[in-house]
Structure formats: structure tokens, C-alpha cells
């Protein structure tokens, strides 16, 4: 790891833990709730405690003036929900382009176990090689997805995060196995900081309980999109998540400090 990578990791995290809000879903899903006025959403989540936001390169002009001096990550591949195969993520940018639009890090999605895994392995390897030359951290979004693959199986998730380390990533994002005990195996499968995806929105308590489980398992935080940017109050839910990740709050403490209802 280079000095540049270390310095930029500090820009997208806090003391080795991470609250990242991906908002690259405009490619995947279109201008859904929370993304039409993405400026307000970015301002809200970073005011609430997010360490960094993540978008595709074309949204960069809408990010910088609204991110409250927090970190910025540019995502480098994508697909759509209306295309022929959502798992077939194609390159949408380069490390050099990300640097030109002011990114502190780049991210890349790989579906481990899918029919597209071979191409995505090659592409991620190329991204990490280029990024290392420029001192740019790589967040690998390494999911267990494909025919016959259980996306919550801790063994499959452990394989996915280890693959990310083997290919040179600096942080790895993956799915959650459902509880802290099983997720501990995933965390122990790599020396990289492990953060989880959020998936589609649940209740506030379900979201914060999941974050609490990740931290109890030794995880490094979250990279959570829809559960935060589609919330009716993105700033409040970001504050609750950050309270667990950065301040070690319980679920009830985090919900209360964020002003969110303590529903069962």
C-alpha cells in the first residue's frame, strides 16, 4: 500500500471505518426517489455523518459542491435492470477519468459465481493495477451471485471477499449473511476492511440492526445505497448508521440520537 492510498483512504473513512453511500443507481434503475435532486440527497447524507458518496463519473459536477468536504468515489462499471442481463456489468469509466473528475477512490462490481465472473476478474485486476500506480484506493463490490449461488451463504461471501484481496483491492463490499455469527467467517476470510451492502429498504430498525451485526462481527462499516438515499429523511438514517459504525451505539441509541422512531 502506498502513501497516496493511505491518505485517500482517510478521505473516504474515519479511523479505519466507513459509512459510504452509493448513488450510482441512476444507471441501474434510472432517476428513482432520492436521485432526481441528488444534490440535496448528497448534502443530507454527508451532513448526517456519511464519510463518502459514490456515483458514476458523469454525476461528478453535481457532487462536489454538496458533499460537505467528505470523500468521493467513482464507480467504474454498470448495467441496467431493463437490459438483457443485470449481472453483466460493463466498464463505464477508467481510473484516469475518475482522477480527472476529482475522485478520492474508485469502485468496481464483480459477481463471483456468475457467468460473467471471468471477464470481471480480468477487469478488476486491470483496475487495481492502474489504481496502484496512481495511489488510488479500490473498493471492490464483490458479491456472491450466479446460478446455484446463495447470495447470503457465508462460505460464498467469504470466497468473494478473499478474491477481492487476491486481486489487489483495498476495501471490499459484499452482501450480509444475516447475522453476526455467520458474518464473522466472512470478515475473517480477508485482511481487507469489509463493508456491507444494504439492498432494498427495510424498516429503520432492520437497517440499524444489520449495521450493528456487521460491526459486532468485526466488519468495517457499510456501503449502503437505497436504504439511505431512498429514506424519507436521508440525513437522519445516515446519522443513525454513523452512530453505530463510528460511535459504537446500540440500535436503540442510534435510532434515538437520529430522531427516528424506536419501532419494534
Amino acid at each position: 500500500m502506498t502513501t497516496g492510498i493511505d491518505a485517500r483512504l482517510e478521505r473516504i473513512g474515519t479511523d479505519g471505518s466507513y459509512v459510504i453511500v452509493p448513488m450510482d443507481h441512476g444507471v441501474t434503475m434510472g432517476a428513482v426517489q432520492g436521485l432526481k435532486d441528488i444534490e440535496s440527497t448528497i448534502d443530507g447524507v454527508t451532513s448526517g455523518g456519511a464519510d463518502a458518496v459514490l456515483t458514476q463519473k458523469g454525476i461528478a459536477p453535481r457532487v462536489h459542491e454538496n458533499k460537505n468536504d467528505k470523500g468521493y468515489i467513482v464507480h467504474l462499471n454498470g448495467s441496467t435492470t431493463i437490459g438483457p442481463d443485470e449481472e453483466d456489468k460493463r466498464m463505464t469509466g477508467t481510473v484516469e477519468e475518475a482522477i480527472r473528475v476529482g475522485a478520492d477512490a474508485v469502485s468496481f462490481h464483480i459477481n463471483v459465481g456468475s457467468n460473467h465472473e471471468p471477464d470481471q476478474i480480468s477487469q478488476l485486476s486491470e483496475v487495481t493495477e492502474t489504481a496502484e500506480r496512481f495511489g488510488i484506493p479500490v473498493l471492490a463490490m464483490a458479491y456472491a451471485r450466479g446460478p446455484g449461488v446463495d447470495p447470503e451463504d457465508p462460505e460464498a461471501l467469504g470466497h468473494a471477499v478473499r478474491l477481492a484481496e487476491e486481486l489487489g483491492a483495498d476495501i471490499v463490499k459484499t452482501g450480509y449473511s444475516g447475522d453476526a455469527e455467520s458474518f464473522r467467517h466472512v470478515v475473517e476470510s480477508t485482511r481487507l476492511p469489509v463493508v456491507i451492502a444494504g439492498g432494498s429498504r427495510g424498516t429503520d430498525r432492520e437497517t440499524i440492526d444489520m449495521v450493528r451485526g456487521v460491526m459486532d462481527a468485526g466488519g468495517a462499516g457499510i456501503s449502503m445505497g437505497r436504504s439511505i438515499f431512498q429514506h424519507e429523511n436521508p440525513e437522519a438514517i445516515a446519522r443513525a448508521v454513523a452512530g453505530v459504525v463510528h460511535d459504537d451505539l446500540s440500535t436503540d441509541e442510534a435510532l434515538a440520537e437520529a430522531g427516528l422512531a424506536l419501532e419494534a
Side-chain angles (χ1 to χ4, degrees):
M1 188 173 291
T2 69
T3 301
I5 289 175
D6 282 339
R8 293 180 176 95
L9 284 172
E10 291 178 3
R11 297 179 196 168
I12 65 169
T14 300
D15 297 327
S17 60
Y18 302 88
V19 176
I20 298 167
V21 183
M23 287 180 269
D24 59 313
H25 301 64
V27 167
T28 310
M29 305 168 67
V32 295
Q33 175 190 339
L35 297 185
K36 288 183 179 179
D37 181 8
I38 197 170
E39 291 88 346
S40 294
T41 306
I42 291 167
D43 176 62
V45 300
T46 53
S47 295
D51 296 301
V53 296
L54 179 156
T55 75
Q56 293 277 352
K57 62 188 180 185
I59 301 297
R62 304 175 69 177
V63 172
H64 290 293
E65 292 185 357
N66 301 287
K67 65 184 178 67
N68 297 302
D69 296 321
K70 299 300 182 70
Y72 179 43
I73 303 169
V74 167
H75 195 52
L76 299 184
N77 63 346
S79 63
T80 75
T81 56
I82 60 175
D85 187 349
E86 189 179 351
E87 292 183 354
D88 186 9
K89 304 288 183 180
R90 299 297 180 98
M91 295 294 295
T92 57
T94 66
V95 172
E96 291 94 332
E97 286 178 307
I99 293 169
R100 285 200 296 270
V101 298
D104 301 303
V106 296
S107 60
F108 188 90
H109 183 129
I110 180 170
N111 290 313
V112 180
S114 78
N115 294 328
H116 308 289
E117 177 196 282
D119 287 339
Q120 290 168 358
I121 284 176
S122 296
Q123 291 163 358
L124 177 56
S125 297
E126 292 170 3
V127 166
T128 58
E129 190 276 332
T130 303
E132 196 277 333
R133 285 193 283 114
F134 286 102
I136 300 293
V138 177
L139 165 62
M141 300 184 181
Y143 294 91
R145 291 180 181 170
V149 178
D150 179 355
E152 295 184 355
D153 174 34
E155 293 295 329
L157 294 171
H159 190 164
V161 300
R162 183 52 177 260
L163 179 146
E165 180 181 6
E166 299 274 350
L167 297 185
D170 302 289
I171 314 174
V172 60
K173 168 182 176 176
T174 196
Y176 187 50
S177 57
D179 58 76
E181 183 177 357
S182 63
F183 199 70
R184 192 166 291 110
H185 166 74
V186 182
V187 172
E188 292 173 350
S189 297
T190 178
R191 290 189 178 181
L192 297 183
V194 178
V195 300
I196 62 146
S200 56
R201 274 198 63 192
T203 67
D204 293 346
R205 179 169 292 277
E206 288 170 341
T207 297
I208 302 306
D209 276 343
M210 181 167 61
V211 178
R212 185 66 264 171
V214 171
M215 303 310 292
D216 289 343
I222 62 95
S223 175
M224 189 175 287
R226 286 170 289 170
S227 295
I228 295 178
F229 74 71
Q230 289 196 314
H231 195 277
E232 57 270 13
N233 189 337
E235 181 174 348
I237 193 67
R239 181 169 288 110
V241 170
V244 175
V245 174
H246 294 320
D247 299 324
D248 199 28
L249 300 183
S250 68
T251 296
D252 284 349
E253 289 170 336
L255 290 170
E257 290 208 3
L260 297 170
L262 301 177
E263 79 278 358

